[in-house]
Amino acid sequence: MTFNFKNSSKQRFARFPAYSPNPIEDGASLIATSGERTKEMAIILSESGHASTAACPEDELGNWLRSMELKSGTSSSQDLGKLLSDGISMFKDNPRYQNDPRFLKLWIVYLDTLKDFESITREMEESKVCSGNSFFYELYALYLESKGLLHEASMVYKIGIARNGEPLSRLKKAQASFLSRMSSIINGASTREIDDDKYRTSATDKINPWSSSTLKDLLEKLNPQFMKYDGYISSTKPYSGKVSLSSLRNNSRNKIIEIGGKKYQIKGCAGQGGFAQVYKAYINSSPDDVVALKVQKPAFPFEFHMYRILDLRIAEPERSAFGFAHKMHVFHDCSILICDYLSHGTLQDAVNSYLVMGKFMEEVLCIYFTIEMLRMLETLHSAHIIHGDFKADNLLIRYASDNLSEEDFLGRGGPWSSQGLCLVDWGRGIDLKLFPDNVEFTGDCRTSGFRCVEMQENRPWIYQVDMYGLCVIVHMMLHGSYMEIVKKNSPDGCFYQPKSSFKRYWKIDLWENLFSKLLNTGHANYHPNLLKDIRKSFEDYLCSEPQLIRKLKDLLVKLRTSLC
């Protein structure tokens, strides 16, 4: 596995200030400006005692570093870059220095003279420079963090831990410090992102969040904020590219459209709806740089607001479960959203892969995906965000790059953190902080099979739209069909439950608890721990029998094979 980070990610996190954290125990700072590189060379030299080879006549690297100290004092930035490059070429094939921290730091300083992070880190990987040393991952993550590339820095920590970089305890401690810093940043940003009342709607207590009048009002009030969003490019002119966007619907493969100075080679349609089409595309024809382009007519910039709100309010490790948007180009007649592309299919594809064979998804796999969805909604709702279109087509499957272990399942440690689902399509997303505290919604999603009980009975709703969608997806996984509900009387009033019965060998108590609570929880009796408590009941069951986790691992491997 190589570090394959897109340069556009830099823009995504550029709104965070640059940081100069200093958790390295020996106090060496490797986050530099070009004017500080001479000082850094002296720091590297002064730390030669930490290296595996002490400076001596036979220590070629140490002697070269000493000569560099003399040259760097009179060298320009360009000359210094060439000197560093020459030194790396001289020693990179020498096994004696493969795990020498001085050589690793030399690479890090060299990185700061260039803009092409990706090719250099790939070269470091190929040269196996300290690939088993936690120092490599810690220093590189710090470097990315200083550049504002927070998501990429987080990924470096994860990769290093997955590879058991030694000492592992130090790397985990560094990761914990990083996550603590990010939490502080995000919490601070969310308190100042929007003044409490500045962008709120009028004081009415019942609103259709999807009506054209509501969206128009929100967009007008958010317009100053949009101008501050990194990656948001707006034009009053219509799209005027050489390749017509409407022509992509019929025959899109290998057509090239140019947006914002970049060329996107369309590789096919990845999905479409009434107003938007999503295309898989290569940036500048590179198969290693794949994105999804969502073309929508008329333009719909509000979805970009939802992605930026997710960036601000949801911290790692949960952030990767909700998709990333790099840029949005808004024209007079359309908008083009540029997002990450995941290639492993949707949860709907997973359900269909069983149905085509005349089977249903096995219960242990249903339980796993149910846990993932409950955690998603738990995270979203606590951040005052509603997805509004929670269905299997919008849940992309993520797979771990390394082997999953039973002992890490409960804490989602190791590769489990990158295994799961990713929720996309935020066109119906609702930012509750834009509305009064006591708001209740009256809009109808008009999506057959996903209209919650409140919509069906013309009653106000809030979080029920997402919880009902989750119930429909669970029903599809268990029964292979959309959910129908029946209304029954009880001493406490009306009670709703699925029409389909549960199979006797299922964990009926778990499923009954989920459906009864999620279908019968109104705004008045909604509790923040509702989703968490249900999730914990499923997790406790899976962890109660070790063979269930082993079976789950096997099923995930089979599912990946069938979908790919």
Side-chain angles (χ1 to χ4, degrees):
M1 181 203 312
T2 58
F3 298 125
N4 186 14
F5 301 133
K6 300 177 176 63
N7 288 336
S8 55
S9 300
K10 183 174 182 178
Q11 278 78 41
R12 181 188 339 141
F13 290 101
R15 62 186 177 283
F16 290 116
Y19 296 91
S20 298
N22 193 18
I24 304 174
E25 293 170 359
D26 56 23
S29 171
L30 295 173
I31 299 165
T33 61
S34 59
E36 293 174 318
R37 290 187 187 117
T38 303
K39 179 181 178 182
E40 285 183 3
M41 294 306 304
I43 290 172
I44 294 175
L45 287 168
S46 69
E47 292 169 351
S48 61
H50 294 287
S52 58
T53 54
C56 62
E58 291 77 25
D59 181 9
E60 297 174 13
L61 176 59
N63 294 331
W64 184 86
L65 286 170
R66 280 183 168 73
S67 68
M68 270 293 294
E69 184 180 17
L70 298 174
K71 294 178 183 177
S72 60
T74 57
S75 298
S76 66
S77 178
Q78 185 175 0
D79 291 339
L80 185 57
K82 185 177 186 308
L83 288 171
L84 292 167
S85 176
D86 291 344
I88 286 170
S89 298
M90 188 183 308
F91 297 109
K92 71 177 183 178
D93 295 323
N94 189 332
R96 180 181 183 184
Y97 300 111
Q98 206 109 69
N99 289 298
D100 191 315
R102 296 173 303 170
F103 192 44
L104 169 60
K105 293 176 187 179
L106 190 64
W107 280 90
I108 300 293
V109 176
Y110 180 52
L111 267 173
D112 203 35
T113 68
L114 303 170
K115 294 181 179 179
D116 188 3
F117 307 142
E118 186 174 341
S119 66
I120 301 303
T121 51
R122 186 183 297 118
E123 187 178 355
M124 292 174 74
E125 286 260 292
E126 291 171 354
S127 300
K128 294 184 172 58
V129 177
C130 293
S131 59
N133 191 326
S134 65
F135 203 35
F136 168 66
Y137 304 101
E138 186 179 350
L139 289 177
Y140 189 57
L142 283 173
Y143 183 85
L144 291 170
E145 184 181 345
S146 75
K147 297 297 182 183
L149 303 175
L150 306 183
H151 177 64
E152 286 74 2
S154 177
M155 288 301 298
V156 169
Y157 284 117
K158 290 178 182 178
I159 291 169
I161 290 171
R163 292 176 176 175
N164 293 313
E166 292 295 337
L168 190 58
S169 59
R170 175 190 173 117
L171 189 56
K172 288 183 176 180
K173 183 179 178 181
Q175 183 194 40
S177 297
F178 169 79
L179 293 175
S180 177
R181 291 193 297 276
M182 295 309 99
S183 296
S184 299
I185 296 164
I186 291 167
N187 291 337
S190 61
T191 59
R192 63 177 181 269
E193 64 192 24
I194 296 176
D195 294 340
D196 285 351
D197 298 314
K198 188 174 180 181
Y199 298 116
R200 290 183 183 272
T201 60
S202 59
T204 180
D205 61 350
K206 290 184 176 61
I207 299 171
N208 180 349
W210 302 314
S211 70
S212 56
S213 59
T214 299
L215 289 172
K216 180 181 178 182
D217 183 47
L218 291 177
L219 287 172
E220 286 177 356
K221 293 175 180 178
L222 281 169
N223 189 55
Q225 189 73 14
F226 269 106
M227 296 303 105
K228 298 176 184 177
Y229 286 150
D230 194 68
Y232 182 80
I233 302 102
S234 179
S235 171
T236 57
K237 299 179 180 179
Y239 173 78
S240 57
K242 294 180 181 179
V243 175
S244 167
L245 296 177
S246 57
S247 71
L248 299 179
R249 295 189 183 187
N250 302 323
N251 183 18
S252 60
R253 192 165 182 83
N254 289 325
K255 287 186 176 180
I256 295 177
I257 62 173
E258 189 167 345
I259 318 165
K262 287 189 176 182
K263 295 180 179 180
Y264 296 87
Q265 183 182 18
I266 306 298
K267 302 306 293 183
C269 184
Q272 57 185 334
F275 300 97
Q277 292 76 42
V278 180
Y279 301 96
K280 176 183 177 181
Y282 292 166
I283 299 179
N284 297 327
S285 300
S286 171
D288 295 325
D289 212 353
V290 189
V291 294
L293 300 184
K294 184 174 184 178
V295 180
Q296 188 154 350
K297 295 184 179 182
F300 190 71
F302 190 76
E303 186 170 4
F304 195 67
H305 166 74
M306 294 305 301
Y307 275 108
R308 286 297 175 256
I309 288 301
L310 289 165
D311 288 343
L312 287 169
R313 295 189 197 156
I314 298 178
E316 289 289 352
E318 301 301 332
R319 179 64 188 89
S320 56
F322 301 102
F324 290 104
H326 303 293
K327 291 185 179 181
M328 175 174 262
H329 295 266
V330 178
F331 301 94
H332 177 68
D333 56 342
C334 68
S335 59
I336 303 174
L337 182 66
I338 303 172
C339 301
D340 279 354
Y341 179 81
L342 296 180
S343 60
H344 298 126
T346 67
L347 188 53
Q348 184 66 63
D349 295 328
V351 172
N352 291 342
S353 70
Y354 281 88
L355 294 179
V356 296
M357 296 185 293
K359 300 178 179 179
F360 301 115
M361 187 178 286
E362 296 200 41
E363 187 184 23
V364 68
L365 198 54
C366 294
I367 290 175
Y368 170 70
F369 285 128
T370 299
I371 290 171
E372 290 298 300
M373 290 188 290
L374 286 165
R375 183 183 285 106
M376 277 182 165
L377 295 189
E378 181 185 334
T379 301
L380 280 183
H381 295 175
S382 65
H384 307 287
I385 297 172
I386 295 172
H387 184 266
D389 197 15
F390 200 79
K391 55 186 181 181
D393 292 295
N394 291 332
L395 288 162
L396 304 178
I397 300 179
R398 298 182 298 145
Y399 289 103
S401 54
D402 295 309
N403 294 331
L404 302 168
S405 63
E406 289 110 44
E407 57 271 16
D408 286 334
F409 171 77
L410 186 58
R412 295 178 81 221
W416 283 106
S417 62
S418 56
Q419 172 76 46
L421 298 169
C422 178
L423 183 59
V424 297
D425 195 347
W426 289 90
R428 287 189 179 271
I430 301 172
D431 176 5
L432 287 172
K433 287 193 176 183
L434 299 181
F435 297 92
D437 292 337
N438 62 344
V439 70
E440 290 182 311
F441 298 114
T442 59
D444 192 323
C445 68
R446 304 190 185 282
T447 303
S448 177
F450 287 88
R451 298 172 64 241
C452 62
V453 171
E454 289 75 14
M455 291 178 184
Q456 296 175 36
E457 298 183 352
N458 197 27
R459 294 189 281 116
W461 52 267
I462 302 183
Y463 298 114
Q464 291 88 344
V465 62
D466 285 346
M467 295 191 296
Y468 190 88
L470 187 148
C471 289
V472 174
I473 298 170
V474 171
H475 192 279
M476 290 173 60
M477 292 191 297
L478 291 171
H479 299 282
S481 63
Y482 285 103
M483 178 178 66
E484 293 182 50
I485 57 172
V486 292
K487 183 177 181 179
K488 295 188 174 183
N489 293 322
S490 71
D492 299 324
C494 297
F495 182 82
Y496 300 89
Q497 66 182 48
K499 188 175 182 179
S500 303
S501 58
F502 300 111
K503 295 179 181 178
R504 58 180 176 77
Y505 53 84
W506 286 348
K507 286 297 295 180
I508 295 177
D509 57 332
L510 292 178
W511 299 119
E512 283 184 340
N513 180 55
L514 178 139
F515 284 104
S516 66
K517 288 185 176 177
L518 297 190
L519 293 178
N520 296 282
T521 296
H523 178 50
N525 58 345
Y526 176 84
H527 191 277
N529 287 332
L530 171 69
L531 299 168
K532 180 180 180 180
D533 292 342
I534 299 173
R535 171 175 62 85
K536 286 287 293 178
S537 66
F538 282 102
E539 288 177 338
D540 290 344
Y541 167 66
L542 282 187
C543 294
S544 66
E545 301 180 39
Q547 68 271 19
L548 292 176
I549 307 296
R550 289 194 290 271
K551 183 176 182 181
L552 172 62
K553 289 168 51 184
D554 292 339
L555 289 172
L556 287 170
V557 171
K558 291 177 181 177
L559 180 63
R560 182 173 188 171
T561 302
S562 67
L563 292 183
C564 293

CSV table of all heavy atoms in Angstrom, one decimal, residues 450-490:
chain,number,residue,atom,x,y,z
A,450,PHE,N,-39.8,4.9,1.6
A,450,PHE,CA,-39.0,5.6,2.6
A,450,PHE,C,-39.7,6.7,3.3
A,450,PHE,O,-39.0,7.5,4.0
A,450,PHE,CB,-37.7,6.0,1.9
A,450,PHE,CG,-36.7,4.9,1.6
A,450,PHE,CD1,-36.8,4.3,0.4
A,450,PHE,CD2,-35.8,4.5,2.5
A,450,PHE,CE1,-35.9,3.3,0.0
A,450,PHE,CE2,-34.9,3.5,2.2
A,450,PHE,CZ,-35.0,2.8,1.0
A,451,ARG,N,-41.0,6.9,3.1
A,451,ARG,CA,-41.7,7.9,3.8
A,451,ARG,C,-42.0,7.4,5.2
A,451,ARG,O,-42.7,6.5,5.4
A,451,ARG,CB,-43.0,8.2,3.0
A,451,ARG,CG,-42.8,8.7,1.6
A,451,ARG,CD,-44.1,8.8,0.8
A,451,ARG,NE,-45.0,9.8,1.4
A,451,ARG,CZ,-46.2,9.5,1.8
A,451,ARG,NH1,-46.6,8.3,1.8
A,451,ARG,NH2,-47.0,10.5,2.3
A,452,CYS,N,-41.5,8.1,6.2
A,452,CYS,CA,-41.7,7.7,7.5
A,452,CYS,C,-43.1,7.8,7.9
A,452,CYS,O,-43.9,8.4,7.2
A,452,CYS,CB,-40.8,8.5,8.5
A,452,CYS,SG,-41.2,10.3,8.5
A,453,VAL,N,-43.5,7.2,9.1
A,453,VAL,CA,-44.9,7.1,9.5
A,453,VAL,C,-45.4,8.5,9.6
A,453,VAL,O,-46.6,8.8,9.2
A,453,VAL,CB,-44.9,6.4,10.9
A,453,VAL,CG1,-46.3,6.6,11.5
A,453,VAL,CG2,-44.6,5.0,10.8
A,454,GLU,N,-44.6,9.5,10.1
A,454,GLU,CA,-45.1,10.9,10.3
A,454,GLU,C,-45.5,11.5,8.9
A,454,GLU,O,-46.5,12.2,8.8
A,454,GLU,CB,-44.0,11.7,11.0
A,454,GLU,CG,-43.8,11.4,12.4
A,454,GLU,CD,-43.1,10.1,12.7
A,454,GLU,OE1,-42.5,9.5,11.7
A,454,GLU,OE2,-43.1,9.6,13.8
A,455,MET,N,-44.7,11.2,7.9
A,455,MET,CA,-45.0,11.7,6.5
A,455,MET,C,-46.3,11.1,6.0
A,455,MET,O,-47.1,11.7,5.4
A,455,MET,CB,-43.8,11.4,5.6
A,455,MET,CG,-42.6,12.3,5.9
A,455,MET,SD,-41.3,11.8,4.7
A,455,MET,CE,-39.9,12.8,5.3
A,456,GLN,N,-46.4,9.7,6.2
A,456,GLN,CA,-47.6,9.0,5.8
A,456,GLN,C,-48.9,9.6,6.4
A,456,GLN,O,-49.9,9.6,5.8
A,456,GLN,CB,-47.4,7.5,6.0
A,456,GLN,CG,-46.3,6.9,5.3
A,456,GLN,CD,-46.1,5.4,5.7
A,456,GLN,OE1,-47.0,4.7,5.9
A,456,GLN,NE2,-44.8,5.0,5.7
A,457,GLU,N,-48.8,10.0,7.6
A,457,GLU,CA,-49.9,10.5,8.4
A,457,GLU,C,-50.0,12.0,8.5
A,457,GLU,O,-50.8,12.5,9.3
A,457,GLU,CB,-50.0,9.8,9.8
A,457,GLU,CG,-50.0,8.3,9.7
A,457,GLU,CD,-50.1,7.6,11.1
A,457,GLU,OE1,-50.0,8.4,12.1
A,457,GLU,OE2,-50.4,6.4,11.1
A,458,ASN,N,-49.1,12.7,7.7
A,458,ASN,CA,-49.1,14.1,7.7
A,458,ASN,C,-48.9,14.7,9.1
A,458,ASN,O,-49.6,15.7,9.5
A,458,ASN,CB,-50.4,14.7,7.1
A,458,ASN,CG,-50.3,16.1,6.6
A,458,ASN,OD1,-49.2,16.6,6.3
A,458,ASN,ND2,-51.4,16.8,6.6
A,459,ARG,N,-47.9,14.2,9.8
A,459,ARG,CA,-47.6,14.7,11.1
A,459,ARG,C,-46.1,15.2,11.1
A,459,ARG,O,-45.3,14.8,10.2
A,459,ARG,CB,-47.7,13.6,12.2
A,459,ARG,CG,-49.1,13.1,12.4
A,459,ARG,CD,-49.2,12.2,13.7
A,459,ARG,NE,-48.7,10.8,13.4
A,459,ARG,CZ,-47.7,10.2,13.9
A,459,ARG,NH1,-46.9,10.9,14.8
A,459,ARG,NH2,-47.4,9.0,13.6
A,460,PRO,N,-45.7,16.1,12.0
A,460,PRO,CA,-44.4,16.7,11.9
A,460,PRO,C,-43.3,15.6,12.3
A,460,PRO,O,-43.6,14.7,13.1
A,460,PRO,CB,-44.4,17.8,13.0
A,460,PRO,CG,-45.6,17.5,13.8
A,460,PRO,CD,-46.6,16.8,13.0
A,461,TRP,N,-42.1,15.8,11.9
A,461,TRP,CA,-41.0,14.9,12.1
A,461,TRP,C,-39.7,15.6,12.3
A,461,TRP,O,-39.6,16.8,11.9
A,461,TRP,CB,-40.9,13.9,11.0
A,461,TRP,CG,-40.8,14.5,9.6
A,461,TRP,CD1,-41.9,14.8,8.7
A,461,TRP,CD2,-39.6,15.0,9.0
A,461,TRP,NE1,-41.4,15.4,7.6
A,461,TRP,CE2,-40.1,15.6,7.7
A,461,TRP,CE3,-38.3,15.0,9.3
A,461,TRP,CZ2,-39.1,16.2,6.8
A,461,TRP,CZ3,-37.4,15.6,8.4
A,461,TRP,CH2,-37.8,16.1,7.2
A,462,ILE,N,-38.7,14.9,12.8
A,462,ILE,CA,-37.4,15.5,12.8
A,462,ILE,C,-36.4,14.3,12.4
A,462,ILE,O,-36.2,14.1,11.2
A,462,ILE,CB,-37.0,16.1,14.2
A,462,ILE,CG1,-37.9,17.2,14.5
A,462,ILE,CG2,-35.6,16.7,14.1
A,462,ILE,CD1,-37.6,17.9,15.8
A,463,TYR,N,-35.9,13.6,13.4
A,463,TYR,CA,-34.9,12.5,13.2
A,463,TYR,C,-35.6,11.3,12.6
A,463,TYR,O,-34.9,10.4,12.1
A,463,TYR,CB,-34.2,12.2,14.4
A,463,TYR,CG,-33.4,13.3,15.0
A,463,TYR,CD1,-33.7,13.9,16.3
A,463,TYR,CD2,-32.3,13.8,14.3
A,463,TYR,CE1,-32.9,14.9,16.8
A,463,TYR,CE2,-31.5,14.8,14.9
A,463,TYR,CZ,-31.8,15.4,16.1
A,463,TYR,OH,-31.1,16.4,16.6
A,464,GLN,N,-36.9,11.2,12.6
A,464,GLN,CA,-37.6,10.0,12.2
A,464,GLN,C,-37.4,9.7,10.8
A,464,GLN,O,-37.4,8.5,10.4
A,464,GLN,CB,-39.2,10.2,12.4
A,464,GLN,CG,-39.6,10.2,13.9
A,464,GLN,CD,-39.5,11.6,14.5
A,464,GLN,OE1,-39.0,12.5,13.9
A,464,GLN,NE2,-40.2,11.8,15.6
A,465,VAL,N,-37.1,10.7,9.9
A,465,VAL,CA,-36.9,10.4,8.5
A,465,VAL,C,-35.7,9.5,8.3
A,465,VAL,O,-35.7,8.6,7.5
A,465,VAL,CB,-36.7,11.7,7.7
A,465,VAL,CG1,-35.5,12.5,8.2
A,465,VAL,CG2,-36.6,11.5,6.2
A,466,ASP,N,-34.6,9.7,9.1
A,466,ASP,CA,-33.4,8.8,9.0
A,466,ASP,C,-33.6,7.5,9.7
A,466,ASP,O,-33.2,6.5,9.2
A,466,ASP,CB,-32.2,9.5,9.7
A,466,ASP,CG,-31.6,10.7,8.8
A,466,ASP,OD1,-32.0,10.8,7.6
A,466,ASP,OD2,-30.8,11.5,9.4
A,467,MET,N,-34.3,7.5,10.8
A,467,MET,CA,-34.5,6.2,11.5
A,467,MET,C,-35.4,5.3,10.8
A,467,MET,O,-35.2,4.1,10.7
A,467,MET,CB,-35.1,6.5,12.9
A,467,MET,CG,-34.1,7.3,13.8
A,467,MET,SD,-34.6,7.4,15.6
A,467,MET,CE,-36.1,8.3,15.5
A,468,TYR,N,-36.4,5.9,10.1
A,468,TYR,CA,-37.3,5.0,9.3
A,468,TYR,C,-36.5,4.4,8.1
A,468,TYR,O,-36.7,3.3,7.7
A,468,TYR,CB,-38.5,5.8,8.8
A,468,TYR,CG,-39.6,5.0,8.1
A,468,TYR,CD1,-40.6,4.5,8.9
A,468,TYR,CD2,-39.6,4.8,6.7
A,468,TYR,CE1,-41.6,3.7,8.3
A,468,TYR,CE2,-40.6,4.0,6.2
A,468,TYR,CZ,-41.6,3.5,6.9
A,468,TYR,OH,-42.6,2.7,6.4
A,469,GLY,N,-35.7,5.3,7.5
A,469,GLY,CA,-34.8,4.8,6.4
A,469,GLY,C,-34.0,3.6,6.8
A,469,GLY,O,-33.8,2.6,6.1
A,470,LEU,N,-33.4,3.7,8.0
A,470,LEU,CA,-32.6,2.6,8.5
A,470,LEU,C,-33.4,1.3,8.7
A,470,LEU,O,-33.0,0.2,8.3
A,470,LEU,CB,-32.0,3.0,9.9
A,470,LEU,CG,-31.0,2.0,10.5
A,470,LEU,CD1,-29.9,2.8,11.3
A,470,LEU,CD2,-31.6,1.0,11.4
A,471,CYS,N,-34.6,1.5,9.2
A,471,CYS,CA,-35.5,0.3,9.3
A,471,CYS,C,-35.8,-0.4,8.0
A,471,CYS,O,-35.8,-1.6,7.9
A,471,CYS,CB,-36.8,0.7,10.0
A,471,CYS,SG,-36.7,1.1,11.8
A,472,VAL,N,-36.0,0.5,7.0
A,472,VAL,CA,-36.3,-0.1,5.6
A,472,VAL,C,-35.1,-0.8,5.1
A,472,VAL,O,-35.3,-1.9,4.5
A,472,VAL,CB,-36.7,1.1,4.6
A,472,VAL,CG1,-36.8,0.5,3.2
A,472,VAL,CG2,-38.0,1.8,5.1
A,473,ILE,N,-33.9,-0.3,5.3
A,473,ILE,CA,-32.7,-1.0,4.8
A,473,ILE,C,-32.5,-2.3,5.6
A,473,ILE,O,-32.2,-3.3,5.0
A,473,ILE,CB,-31.5,-0.1,5.0
A,473,ILE,CG1,-31.6,1.2,4.2
A,473,ILE,CG2,-30.2,-0.8,4.6
A,473,ILE,CD1,-30.5,2.2,4.5
A,474,VAL,N,-32.7,-2.3,6.9
A,474,VAL,CA,-32.6,-3.6,7.7
A,474,VAL,C,-33.6,-4.6,7.2
A,474,VAL,O,-33.3,-5.8,7.0
A,474,VAL,CB,-32.8,-3.3,9.2
A,474,VAL,CG1,-32.9,-4.6,10.0
A,474,VAL,CG2,-31.6,-2.4,9.7
A,475,HIS,N,-34.8,-4.1,6.9
A,475,HIS,CA,-35.8,-5.1,6.4
A,475,HIS,C,-35.4,-5.6,5.0
A,475,HIS,O,-35.6,-6.9,4.8
A,475,HIS,CB,-37.1,-4.3,6.2
A,475,HIS,CG,-38.3,-5.2,6.0
A,475,HIS,ND1,-38.6,-5.7,4.8
A,475,HIS,CD2,-39.3,-5.7,6.9
A,475,HIS,CE1,-39.7,-6.5,4.8
A,475,HIS,NE2,-40.1,-6.5,6.1
A,476,MET,N,-34.8,-4.8,4.2
A,476,MET,CA,-34.3,-5.3,2.9
A,476,MET,C,-33.2,-6.4,3.1
A,476,MET,O,-33.2,-7.4,2.3
A,476,MET,CB,-33.8,-4.1,2.0
A,476,MET,CG,-34.9,-3.2,1.5
A,476,MET,SD,-34.2,-1.8,0.7
A,476,MET,CE,-33.3,-2.5,-0.6
A,477,MET,N,-32.3,-6.1,4.0
A,477,MET,CA,-31.2,-7.1,4.2
A,477,MET,C,-31.8,-8.4,4.7
A,477,MET,O,-31.4,-9.5,4.3
A,477,MET,CB,-30.2,-6.5,5.2
A,477,MET,CG,-29.4,-5.3,4.7
A,477,MET,SD,-28.0,-4.9,5.7
A,477,MET,CE,-28.8,-4.4,7.3
A,478,LEU,N,-32.8,-8.3,5.7
A,478,LEU,CA,-33.3,-9.6,6.3
A,478,LEU,C,-34.3,-10.3,5.4
A,478,LEU,O,-34.2,-11.5,5.3
A,478,LEU,CB,-34.0,-9.2,7.6
A,478,LEU,CG,-33.2,-8.7,8.8
A,478,LEU,CD1,-34.1,-8.2,9.9
A,478,LEU,CD2,-32.3,-9.9,9.3
A,479,HIS,N,-35.1,-9.6,4.7
A,479,HIS,CA,-36.3,-10.2,3.9
A,479,HIS,C,-36.1,-10.1,2.4
A,479,HIS,O,-36.9,-10.7,1.7
A,479,HIS,CB,-37.6,-9.6,4.4
A,479,HIS,CG,-37.9,-9.7,5.8
A,479,HIS,ND1,-38.4,-10.9,6.3
A,479,HIS,CD2,-37.9,-8.9,6.9
A,479,HIS,CE1,-38.6,-10.8,7.6
A,479,HIS,NE2,-38.3,-9.6,8.0
A,480,GLY,N,-35.2,-9.2,2.0
A,480,GLY,CA,-35.1,-9.0,0.5
A,480,GLY,C,-36.2,-8.2,-0.1
A,480,GLY,O,-36.4,-8.3,-1.3
A,481,SER,N,-36.9,-7.4,0.7
A,481,SER,CA,-38.0,-6.6,0.2
A,481,SER,C,-38.2,-5.3,1.0
A,481,SER,O,-37.7,-5.2,2.1
A,481,SER,CB,-39.3,-7.4,0.2
A,481,SER,OG,-39.6,-7.8,1.6
A,482,TYR,N,-38.9,-4.4,0.4
A,482,TYR,CA,-39.2,-3.1,1.1
A,482,TYR,C,-40.1,-3.4,2.3
A,482,TYR,O,-40.9,-4.4,2.3
A,482,TYR,CB,-39.8,-2.1,0.2
A,482,TYR,CG,-38.8,-1.4,-0.7
A,482,TYR,CD1,-38.8,-1.8,-2.1
A,482,TYR,CD2,-38.0,-0.5,-0.3
A,482,TYR,CE1,-37.8,-1.2,-2.9
A,482,TYR,CE2,-37.0,0.1,-1.1
A,482,TYR,CZ,-37.0,-0.2,-2.4
A,482,TYR,OH,-36.1,0.3,-3.3
A,483,MET,N,-40.0,-2.6,3.3
A,483,MET,CA,-40.8,-2.8,4.5
A,483,MET,C,-42.2,-2.3,4.4
A,483,MET,O,-42.5,-1.2,3.9
A,483,MET,CB,-40.1,-2.1,5.7
A,483,MET,CG,-40.9,-2.2,7.0
A,483,MET,SD,-39.9,-1.4,8.4
A,483,MET,CE,-40.0,0.3,7.9
A,484,GLU,N,-43.2,-3.1,4.8
A,484,GLU,CA,-44.6,-2.6,5.0
A,484,GLU,C,-44.9,-2.6,6.5
A,484,GLU,O,-44.4,-3.5,7.2
A,484,GLU,CB,-45.6,-3.5,4.3
A,484,GLU,CG,-45.5,-3.5,2.8
A,484,GLU,CD,-46.5,-4.4,2.1
A,484,GLU,OE1,-47.7,-4.3,2.5
A,484,GLU,OE2,-46.1,-5.2,1.3
A,485,ILE,N,-45.6,-1.6,7.0
A,485,ILE,CA,-45.8,-1.6,8.4
A,485,ILE,C,-47.3,-1.7,8.7
A,485,ILE,O,-48.2,-1.4,7.8
A,485,ILE,CB,-45.3,-0.2,9.0
A,485,ILE,CG1,-46.0,1.0,8.3
A,485,ILE,CG2,-43.8,-0.1,9.0
A,485,ILE,CD1,-45.7,2.3,9.0
A,486,VAL,N,-47.6,-2.2,9.9
A,486,VAL,CA,-49.0,-2.3,10.3
A,486,VAL,C,-49.2,-1.5,11.6
A,486,VAL,O,-48.2,-1.4,12.4
A,486,VAL,CB,-49.4,-3.8,10.6
A,486,VAL,CG1,-49.4,-4.6,9.3
A,486,VAL,CG2,-48.4,-4.5,11.6
A,487,LYS,N,-50.3,-1.0,11.8
A,487,LYS,CA,-50.6,-0.1,12.9
A,487,LYS,C,-51.5,-0.9,13.9
A,487,LYS,O,-52.6,-1.4,13.5
A,487,LYS,CB,-51.3,1.2,12.4
A,487,LYS,CG,-51.6,2.2,13.5
A,487,LYS,CD,-52.3,3.4,12.9
A,487,LYS,CE,-52.6,4.5,13.9
A,487,LYS,NZ,-53.2,5.7,13.2
A,488,LYS,N,-51.1,-1.0,15.1
A,488,LYS,CA,-51.9,-1.7,16.1
A,488,LYS,C,-52.2,-0.9,17.3
A,488,LYS,O,-51.4,0.1,17.6
A,488,LYS,CB,-51.1,-3.0,16.5
A,488,LYS,CG,-50.9,-4.0,15.4
A,488,LYS,CD,-50.3,-5.3,16.0
A,488,LYS,CE,-50.2,-6.4,14.9
A,488,LYS,NZ,-49.7,-7.7,15.4
A,489,ASN,N,-53.2,-1.2,18.0
A,489,ASN,CA,-53.6,-0.5,19.2
A,489,ASN,C,-52.9,-1.1,20.4
A,489,ASN,O,-52.7,-2.3,20.5
A,489,ASN,CB,-55.1,-0.5,19.4
A,489,ASN,CG,-55.8,0.3,18.3
A,489,ASN,OD1,-55.3,1.4,17.9
A,489,ASN,ND2,-57.0,-0.2,17.9
A,490,SER,N,-52.5,-0.2,21.4
A,490,SER,CA,-51.9,-0.7,22.6
A,490,SER,C,-52.4,0.2,23.7
A,490,SER,O,-53.0,1.2,23.5
A,490,SER,CB,-50.4,-0.6,22.5
A,490,SER,OG,-50.0,0.7,22.5
